[in-house]
Amino acid sequence: MTKTNTLADIAGEIETLSADLLKVNATIDLLGKSAIDAANKIDKALKDAKDRFATALADQATADRNKRLSSFSDIQVTVRPGDNLISTGFVIRYTKDAWDMSVNAVVPKPHECNGFAALADDAYEYLVTKKPENIPAVIMALAPGKPQEAISAYLAGKARGYFKGGSVSA
């Protein structure tokens, strides 16, 4: 069987192998050892196809993510101090490629939002994965060295109205 790497081809191969395995398993009582050998061979090929499918899916997700995040060129978080972390505000400014009708081309455009809850998903991902050093120290203190967990803890605490472990000052 020809080994391919496209998701559609691998999915088709998995379907075919699964159907073949069902047919062979149904004949084991009649054919004996030869059917068992055939079933084992098909089962091994099926496992291989499933592994290749998982790898291809992960590769596609990584490529899609890299393509999506490549449109960013900068992200900065400005802290507006409050009495504590609940009342502290954040202004997030980032530059992302966008279509500009006036020049009929994709150009870097500045964007701004108030607070992490208003941040676009892809900008959030860019901040956490590509520029975690730009996450404010008061947020990183919630989960040192773990940007995703720190921002998740911040958002959860902000939604609750308090932060676990006492009051966190800004």
Side-chain angles (χ1 to χ4, degrees):
M1 184 164 277
T2 304
K3 294 191 178 191
T4 59
N5 289 325
T6 67
L7 288 172
D9 291 342
I10 297 171
E13 184 180 339
I14 289 171
E15 288 296 320
T16 301
L17 288 169
S18 295
D20 290 349
L21 187 57
L22 285 174
K23 290 175 192 172
V24 171
N25 280 336
T27 64
I28 285 178
D29 289 338
L30 296 172
L31 300 176
K33 180 153 173 40
S34 63
I36 291 172
D37 291 343
N40 288 338
K41 184 178 176 182
I42 293 171
D43 188 49
K44 184 178 181 312
L46 183 59
K47 287 177 184 169
D48 177 58
K50 286 180 179 179
D51 288 345
R52 288 185 298 115
F53 185 81
T55 300
L57 194 58
D59 290 348
Q60 180 181 340
T62 299
D64 290 349
R65 179 178 158 266
N66 289 339
K67 181 180 177 187
R68 189 174 64 252
L69 297 183
S70 70
S71 65
F72 288 88
S73 56
D74 185 37
I75 190 163
Q76 298 295 322
V77 181
T78 304
V79 179
R80 289 184 314 207
D83 294 334
N84 54 41
L85 192 51
I86 294 291
S87 63
T88 297
F90 300 96
V91 177
I92 301 126
R93 293 179 181 88
Y94 58 95
T95 304
K96 181 181 180 190
D97 293 346
W99 183 259
D100 186 335
M101 290 176 40
S102 64
V103 294
N104 207 24
V106 175
V107 297
K109 289 213 169 197
H111 299 271
E112 181 178 307
C113 66
N114 290 313
F116 289 97
L119 189 60
D121 291 344
D122 53 348
Y124 171 84
E125 186 176 7
Y126 179 74
L127 176 65
V128 170
T129 61
K130 302 289 185 183
K131 297 290 185 174
E133 65 276 8
N134 292 355
I135 298 171
V138 293
I139 292 177
M140 283 306 298
L142 298 172
K146 301 175 184 173
Q148 177 69 46
E149 290 179 31
I151 291 182
S152 292
Y154 167 74
L155 292 171
K158 186 85 165 168
R160 265 193 315 270
Y162 68 92
F163 292 91
K164 292 183 179 180
S167 114
V168 177
S169 13

